[in-house]
Amino acid sequence: ETGVTQTPRHLVMGMTNKKSLKCEQHLGHNAMYWYKQSAKKPLELMFVYSLEERVENNSVPSRFSPECPNSSHLFLHLHTLQPEDSALYLCASSQAPVENSPLHFGNGTRLTVT
Amino acid sequence: TQLLEQSPQFLSIQEGENLTVYCNSSSVFSSLQWYRQEPGEGPVLLVTVVTGGEVKKLKRLTFQFGDARKDSSLHITAAQPGDTGLYLCAGDPSGSSNTGKLIFGQGTTLQVKP
């Protein structure tokens, strides 16, 4: 079983739909992250949860709503998205506050908003 | 705003050639990480460099952290088709308290032709 699992792998949704992305980590880490990856742009950090508390919200529009029910699970709830929100959404985990703790990424959800 | 500039953005070479990818910033980072991302997968950590002037080797890959901890390079010797992928550098800004707020470069896409 891989360390960080994301579902679904692909998602196509209309602008009026509501959907959720799921992330589960089996590494015993205590921090989880949502990143957005768009073509030719650096990975953008969206949200950080450490010990199940949100510690970072990088000015993300309210149409993205994260949820972290426990240290192993992370969700990203989506509603009334825009076409420019189409991207690869990556979940990651790490052990914090261990110095230089690397990020362990899932394989992402490829989201297309029509 | 701290930025990491990677160059080149795209590189296509023949098997057996050598190459160097650069990651530059005007800011100091407490550490720099290099990741490789293959199509359809999330980034995977290759190495972390933490000391100015540090050189680390991973088989045919050599990573160097600049003396002033503002830049890094990745050198690949005798590239192979299996090296194909997106190479990302990510910096941990000094004083970030290890909350995982990595700053990513925009990536270098490497294609190695057999």
Side-chain angles (χ1 to χ4, degrees), chain B residues 64-83:
Chain B
Q64 185 162 10
F65 201 11
D67 291 340
R69 291 185 291 128
K70 293 182 179 181
D71 55 85
S72 181
S73 64
L74 158 60
H75 182 79
I76 301 179
T77 303
Q80 298 178 1
D83 296 326

PDB file of all heavy atoms in Angstrom, chain B residues 64-83:
ATOM      1  N   GLN B  64      24.502  20.102  -5.357  1.00  0.00           N
ATOM      2  CA  GLN B  64      25.358  21.041  -4.651  1.00  0.00           C
ATOM      3  C   GLN B  64      24.521  22.194  -4.113  1.00  0.00           C
ATOM      4  O   GLN B  64      23.620  22.697  -4.782  1.00  0.00           O
ATOM      5  CB  GLN B  64      26.451  21.575  -5.583  1.00  0.00           C
ATOM      6  CG  GLN B  64      27.459  22.469  -4.883  1.00  0.00           C
ATOM      7  CD  GLN B  64      28.737  22.638  -5.678  1.00  0.00           C
ATOM      8  OE1 GLN B  64      28.815  22.239  -6.835  1.00  0.00           O
ATOM      9  NE2 GLN B  64      29.739  23.226  -5.049  1.00  0.00           N
ATOM     10  N   PHE B  65      24.827  22.612  -2.900  1.00  0.00           N
ATOM     11  CA  PHE B  65      24.191  23.760  -2.275  1.00  0.00           C
ATOM     12  C   PHE B  65      25.208  24.887  -2.281  1.00  0.00           C
ATOM     13  O   PHE B  65      26.351  24.678  -1.878  1.00  0.00           O
ATOM     14  CB  PHE B  65      23.787  23.405  -0.843  1.00  0.00           C
ATOM     15  CG  PHE B  65      22.715  24.263  -0.228  1.00  0.00           C
ATOM     16  CD1 PHE B  65      21.964  25.161  -0.972  1.00  0.00           C
ATOM     17  CD2 PHE B  65      22.432  24.163   1.128  1.00  0.00           C
ATOM     18  CE1 PHE B  65      20.965  25.927  -0.399  1.00  0.00           C
ATOM     19  CE2 PHE B  65      21.430  24.926   1.716  1.00  0.00           C
ATOM     20  CZ  PHE B  65      20.696  25.803   0.952  1.00  0.00           C
ATOM     21  N   GLY B  66      24.816  26.076  -2.730  1.00  0.00           N
ATOM     22  CA  GLY B  66      25.750  27.180  -2.814  1.00  0.00           C
ATOM     23  C   GLY B  66      26.278  27.601  -1.452  1.00  0.00           C
ATOM     24  O   GLY B  66      25.618  27.395  -0.426  1.00  0.00           O
ATOM     25  N   ASP B  67      27.453  28.183  -1.444  1.00  0.00           N
ATOM     26  CA  ASP B  67      28.086  28.599  -0.198  1.00  0.00           C
ATOM     27  C   ASP B  67      27.184  29.541   0.606  1.00  0.00           C
ATOM     28  O   ASP B  67      27.143  29.473   1.833  1.00  0.00           O
ATOM     29  CB  ASP B  67      29.416  29.305  -0.486  1.00  0.00           C
ATOM     30  CG  ASP B  67      30.470  28.351  -1.016  1.00  0.00           C
ATOM     31  OD1 ASP B  67      30.307  27.130  -0.808  1.00  0.00           O
ATOM     32  OD2 ASP B  67      31.433  28.816  -1.645  1.00  0.00           O
ATOM     33  N   ALA B  68      26.475  30.422  -0.083  1.00  0.00           N
ATOM     34  CA  ALA B  68      25.613  31.395   0.581  1.00  0.00           C
ATOM     35  C   ALA B  68      24.205  30.863   0.813  1.00  0.00           C
ATOM     36  O   ALA B  68      23.339  31.591   1.303  1.00  0.00           O
ATOM     37  CB  ALA B  68      25.549  32.681  -0.250  1.00  0.00           C
ATOM     38  N   ARG B  69      23.953  29.625   0.458  1.00  0.00           N
ATOM     39  CA  ARG B  69      22.650  28.953   0.621  1.00  0.00           C
ATOM     40  C   ARG B  69      21.537  29.698  -0.105  1.00  0.00           C
ATOM     41  O   ARG B  69      20.399  29.783   0.361  1.00  0.00           O
ATOM     42  CB  ARG B  69      22.325  28.771   2.105  1.00  0.00           C
ATOM     43  CG  ARG B  69      23.229  27.754   2.778  1.00  0.00           C
ATOM     44  CD  ARG B  69      22.833  27.464   4.223  1.00  0.00           C
ATOM     45  NE  ARG B  69      23.067  28.585   5.092  1.00  0.00           N
ATOM     46  CZ  ARG B  69      22.159  29.113   5.903  1.00  0.00           C
ATOM     47  NH1 ARG B  69      20.941  28.635   5.958  1.00  0.00           N
ATOM     48  NH2 ARG B  69      22.475  30.123   6.676  1.00  0.00           N
ATOM     49  N   LYS B  70      21.877  30.253  -1.299  1.00  0.00           N
ATOM     50  CA  LYS B  70      20.866  30.904  -2.114  1.00  0.00           C
ATOM     51  C   LYS B  70      20.616  30.159  -3.417  1.00  0.00           C
ATOM     52  O   LYS B  70      19.703  30.513  -4.171  1.00  0.00           O
ATOM     53  CB  LYS B  70      21.323  32.323  -2.475  1.00  0.00           C
ATOM     54  CG  LYS B  70      21.398  33.277  -1.295  1.00  0.00           C
ATOM     55  CD  LYS B  70      21.797  34.658  -1.764  1.00  0.00           C
ATOM     56  CE  LYS B  70      21.855  35.639  -0.617  1.00  0.00           C
ATOM     57  NZ  LYS B  70      22.222  37.003  -1.083  1.00  0.00           N
ATOM     58  N   ASP B  71      21.430  29.143  -3.698  1.00  0.00           N
ATOM     59  CA  ASP B  71      21.277  28.466  -4.968  1.00  0.00           C
ATOM     60  C   ASP B  71      21.717  27.019  -4.841  1.00  0.00           C
ATOM     61  O   ASP B  71      22.422  26.633  -3.906  1.00  0.00           O
ATOM     62  CB  ASP B  71      22.089  29.168  -6.061  1.00  0.00           C
ATOM     63  CG  ASP B  71      23.548  29.308  -5.662  1.00  0.00           C
ATOM     64  OD1 ASP B  71      24.306  28.347  -5.895  1.00  0.00           O
ATOM     65  OD2 ASP B  71      23.905  30.356  -5.102  1.00  0.00           O
ATOM     66  N   SER B  72      21.297  26.221  -5.818  1.00  0.00           N
ATOM     67  CA  SER B  72      21.655  24.810  -5.818  1.00  0.00           C
ATOM     68  C   SER B  72      21.716  24.327  -7.255  1.00  0.00           C
ATOM     69  O   SER B  72      21.144  24.954  -8.164  1.00  0.00           O
ATOM     70  CB  SER B  72      20.617  24.006  -5.034  1.00  0.00           C
ATOM     71  OG  SER B  72      20.954  22.625  -5.000  1.00  0.00           O
ATOM     72  N   SER B  73      22.418  23.244  -7.462  1.00  0.00           N
ATOM     73  CA  SER B  73      22.488  22.668  -8.801  1.00  0.00           C
ATOM     74  C   SER B  73      22.371  21.159  -8.717  1.00  0.00           C
ATOM     75  O   SER B  73      22.700  20.544  -7.692  1.00  0.00           O
ATOM     76  CB  SER B  73      23.792  23.057  -9.505  1.00  0.00           C
ATOM     77  OG  SER B  73      24.897  22.514  -8.814  1.00  0.00           O
ATOM     78  N   LEU B  74      21.875  20.595  -9.797  1.00  0.00           N
ATOM     79  CA  LEU B  74      21.758  19.137  -9.951  1.00  0.00           C
ATOM     80  C   LEU B  74      22.470  18.764 -11.238  1.00  0.00           C
ATOM     81  O   LEU B  74      22.123  19.272 -12.312  1.00  0.00           O
ATOM     82  CB  LEU B  74      20.277  18.744 -10.027  1.00  0.00           C
ATOM     83  CG  LEU B  74      19.920  17.402 -10.680  1.00  0.00           C
ATOM     84  CD1 LEU B  74      20.569  16.242  -9.955  1.00  0.00           C
ATOM     85  CD2 LEU B  74      18.417  17.227 -10.742  1.00  0.00           C
ATOM     86  N   HIS B  75      23.469  17.925 -11.123  1.00  0.00           N
ATOM     87  CA  HIS B  75      24.226  17.477 -12.297  1.00  0.00           C
ATOM     88  C   HIS B  75      23.966  15.995 -12.497  1.00  0.00           C
ATOM     89  O   HIS B  75      24.078  15.204 -11.541  1.00  0.00           O
ATOM     90  CB  HIS B  75      25.721  17.739 -12.097  1.00  0.00           C
ATOM     91  CG  HIS B  75      26.548  17.354 -13.291  1.00  0.00           C
ATOM     92  ND1 HIS B  75      26.649  18.133 -14.411  1.00  0.00           N
ATOM     93  CD2 HIS B  75      27.295  16.234 -13.525  1.00  0.00           C
ATOM     94  CE1 HIS B  75      27.431  17.542 -15.303  1.00  0.00           C
ATOM     95  NE2 HIS B  75      27.838  16.388 -14.790  1.00  0.00           N
ATOM     96  N   ILE B  76      23.609  15.613 -13.708  1.00  0.00           N
ATOM     97  CA  ILE B  76      23.400  14.201 -14.032  1.00  0.00           C
ATOM     98  C   ILE B  76      24.460  13.781 -15.040  1.00  0.00           C
ATOM     99  O   ILE B  76      24.630  14.415 -16.089  1.00  0.00           O
ATOM    100  CB  ILE B  76      21.990  13.940 -14.606  1.00  0.00           C
ATOM    101  CG1 ILE B  76      20.926  14.374 -13.597  1.00  0.00           C
ATOM    102  CG2 ILE B  76      21.829  12.460 -14.951  1.00  0.00           C
ATOM    103  CD1 ILE B  76      19.489  14.169 -14.075  1.00  0.00           C
ATOM    104  N   THR B  77      25.157  12.733 -14.706  1.00  0.00           N
ATOM    105  CA  THR B  77      26.201  12.188 -15.583  1.00  0.00           C
ATOM    106  C   THR B  77      25.627  11.008 -16.369  1.00  0.00           C
ATOM    107  O   THR B  77      24.935  10.165 -15.801  1.00  0.00           O
ATOM    108  CB  THR B  77      27.391  11.709 -14.747  1.00  0.00           C
ATOM    109  OG1 THR B  77      27.875  12.803 -13.947  1.00  0.00           O
ATOM    110  CG2 THR B  77      28.509  11.192 -15.636  1.00  0.00           C
ATOM    111  N   ALA B  78      25.939  10.987 -17.669  1.00  0.00           N
ATOM    112  CA  ALA B  78      25.516   9.862 -18.528  1.00  0.00           C
ATOM    113  C   ALA B  78      24.030   9.579 -18.368  1.00  0.00           C
ATOM    114  O   ALA B  78      23.636   8.496 -17.923  1.00  0.00           O
ATOM    115  CB  ALA B  78      26.342   8.624 -18.211  1.00  0.00           C
ATOM    116  N   ALA B  79      23.215  10.568 -18.725  1.00  0.00           N
ATOM    117  CA  ALA B  79      21.771  10.469 -18.534  1.00  0.00           C
ATOM    118  C   ALA B  79      21.190   9.245 -19.238  1.00  0.00           C
ATOM    119  O   ALA B  79      21.666   8.820 -20.308  1.00  0.00           O
ATOM    120  CB  ALA B  79      21.095  11.735 -19.045  1.00  0.00           C
ATOM    121  N   GLN B  80      20.158   8.680 -18.630  1.00  0.00           N
ATOM    122  CA  GLN B  80      19.472   7.512 -19.173  1.00  0.00           C
ATOM    123  C   GLN B  80      17.984   7.826 -19.338  1.00  0.00           C
ATOM    124  O   GLN B  80      17.461   8.716 -18.656  1.00  0.00           O
ATOM    125  CB  GLN B  80      19.664   6.321 -18.230  1.00  0.00           C
ATOM    126  CG  GLN B  80      21.116   5.930 -18.073  1.00  0.00           C
ATOM    127  CD  GLN B  80      21.318   4.780 -17.102  1.00  0.00           C
ATOM    128  OE1 GLN B  80      20.356   4.239 -16.550  1.00  0.00           O
ATOM    129  NE2 GLN B  80      22.562   4.416 -16.883  1.00  0.00           N
ATOM    130  N   PRO B  81      17.285   7.111 -20.205  1.00  0.00           N
ATOM    131  CA  PRO B  81      15.848   7.373 -20.401  1.00  0.00           C
ATOM    132  C   PRO B  81      15.057   7.341 -19.099  1.00  0.00           C
ATOM    133  O   PRO B  81      14.082   8.070 -18.950  1.00  0.00           O
ATOM    134  CB  PRO B  81      15.430   6.257 -21.360  1.00  0.00           C
ATOM    135  CG  PRO B  81      16.660   5.980 -22.165  1.00  0.00           C
ATOM    136  CD  PRO B  81      17.792   6.123 -21.181  1.00  0.00           C
ATOM    137  N   GLY B  82      15.488   6.542 -18.155  1.00  0.00           N
ATOM    138  CA  GLY B  82      14.817   6.476 -16.859  1.00  0.00           C
ATOM    139  C   GLY B  82      14.944   7.741 -16.034  1.00  0.00           C
ATOM    140  O   GLY B  82      14.231   7.906 -15.041  1.00  0.00           O
ATOM    141  N   ASP B  83      15.814   8.662 -16.448  1.00  0.00           N
ATOM    142  CA  ASP B  83      15.960   9.936 -15.745  1.00  0.00           C
ATOM    143  C   ASP B  83      14.905  10.941 -16.200  1.00  0.00           C
ATOM    144  O   ASP B  83      14.777  12.017 -15.614  1.00  0.00           O
ATOM    145  CB  ASP B  83      17.342  10.543 -15.998  1.00  0.00           C
ATOM    146  CG  ASP B  83      18.472   9.693 -15.436  1.00  0.00           C
ATOM    147  OD1 ASP B  83      18.266   9.049 -14.379  1.00  0.00           O
ATOM    148  OD2 ASP B  83      19.555   9.656 -16.052  1.00  0.00           O
TER     149      ASP B  83
END
